[in-house]
């Protein structure tokens, strides 16, 4: 028997509001990644979710608001992961590896969401740009706090180093996703974190600098 199409699914069955929102976000993610923001429509998303358009509009009044909600969710996950990685240990070498691992793990387990953040075709929209920038700025700010505490560098210098490290991890993760998957995630994380650590460990710690 042929599999039922999305449009044949029962539509609009009652779910708790939070569960319905999660369902709609999942459907929207699939559609946006497959078609891009501009080619996707609210009809497509409603069909993918198996709901009527009025149900979709009850939760998200516009396609842009739905897209921004997806970005917020992805950015929040990445930022929280970096915060947890930095808080899990006081060993800075381990922190470096754990921070890099956050991005590579997100790539390997949530590829569609990662592409939505880093390969958006809507970066000219101020709301979209602000969310992508927030991911970089908040993760870099957390890393900069550790760098500043250890080295005694100024806030500006610490943030410059942090943005550079975060940027290296982001670009490396994107490259690995598209070109280097013959390397395992753990191999990629080890290579990139060792590169970052060799650089940042060359800056004297506060105690060393004052001795």
């Amino acid at each position: 028997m042929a599999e039922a199409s999305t449009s044949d699914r029962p539509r609009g069955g009652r779910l708790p509001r939070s569960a319905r929102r999660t369902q709609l976000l999942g459907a929207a993610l699939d559609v946006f990644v497959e078609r891009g923001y501009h080619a996707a429509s609210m009809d497509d998303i409603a069909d993918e979710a198996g709901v009527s358009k009025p149900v979709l509009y009850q939760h998200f009044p516009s396609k842009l608001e739905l897209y921004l909600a997806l970005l917020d969710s992805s950015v929040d996950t990445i930022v929280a992961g970096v915060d947890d990685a930095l808080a899990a240990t006081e060993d800075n070498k381990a922190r470096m590896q754990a921070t890099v691992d956050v991005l590579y793990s997100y790539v390997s387990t949530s590829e569609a969401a990662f592409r939505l953040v880093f390969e958006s075709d809507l970066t000219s929209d101020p709301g979209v740009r602000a969310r992508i920038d927030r991911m970089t700025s908040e993760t870099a700010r957390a890393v900069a706090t550790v760098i500043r505490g250890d080295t005694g560098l100024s806030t500006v210098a610490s943030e410059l180093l942090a943005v550079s490290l975060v940027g290296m991890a982001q670009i490396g993760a994107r490259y690995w996703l598209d070109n280097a998957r013959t390397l395992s995630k753990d191999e990629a994380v080890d290579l990139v974190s060792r590169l970052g650590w060799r650089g940042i460990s060359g800056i004297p710690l506060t105690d060393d600098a004052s001795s």
Side-chain angles (χ1 to χ4, degrees):
M1 181 181 294
E3 183 178 345
S5 67
T6 304
S7 60
D8 293 332
R9 297 172 190 164
R11 305 178 71 86
R14 288 191 176 277
L15 286 175
R17 185 170 182 83
S18 60
R20 177 66 75 195
R21 178 182 173 87
T22 298
Q23 177 203 20
L24 296 175
L25 287 172
L29 176 62
D30 290 342
V31 172
F32 283 137
V33 170
E34 178 184 353
R35 305 187 185 187
Y37 176 83
H38 296 292
S41 71
M42 293 293 268
D43 281 324
D44 296 331
I45 295 166
D47 284 344
E48 179 71 19
V51 301
S52 65
K53 278 181 69 177
V55 169
L56 179 58
Y57 279 111
Q58 284 173 10
H59 292 263
F60 301 101
S62 70
K63 183 170 73 167
L64 179 58
E65 289 191 43
L66 180 49
Y67 193 82
L68 294 178
L70 278 170
L71 286 181
D72 280 331
S73 177
S74 294
V75 170
D76 288 346
T77 298
I78 294 171
V79 170
V82 170
D83 286 342
D84 290 344
L86 293 174
T89 178
E90 294 187 356
D91 181 327
N92 286 337
K93 185 176 182 180
R95 279 172 165 164
M96 172 68 70
Q97 181 147 357
T99 299
V100 172
D101 187 71
V102 168
L103 284 168
Y104 281 80
S105 293
Y106 195 71
V107 166
S108 61
T109 61
S110 306
E111 178 178 332
F114 185 88
R115 290 191 182 280
L116 188 77
V117 175
F118 292 101
E119 299 175 11
S120 172
D121 60 350
L122 197 63
T123 53
S124 60
D125 179 86
V128 172
R129 185 73 257 162
R131 283 157 173 82
I132 296 172
D133 289 345
R134 178 171 74 85
M135 193 281 299
T136 299
S137 64
E138 291 192 10
T139 54
R141 191 176 301 119
V143 173
T145 298
V146 174
I147 293 173
R148 187 169 60 251
D150 279 347
T151 65
L153 290 173
S154 68
T155 297
V156 172
S158 298
E159 289 181 353
L160 173 61
L161 290 175
V163 168
S164 299
L165 290 170
V166 169
M168 177 186 70
Q170 289 175 10
I171 293 170
R174 292 172 67 183
Y175 178 83
W176 177 74
L177 177 62
D178 291 328
N179 302 286
R181 294 293 283 270
T182 51
L183 288 174
S184 71
K185 178 185 74 73
D186 289 343
E187 288 173 318
V189 168
D190 182 63
L191 284 171
V192 174
S193 61
R194 280 196 286 141
L195 174 63
W197 177 245
R198 285 179 68 88
I200 198 67
S201 63
I203 298 173
L205 300 181
T206 300
D207 289 345
D208 295 336
S210 60
S211 61

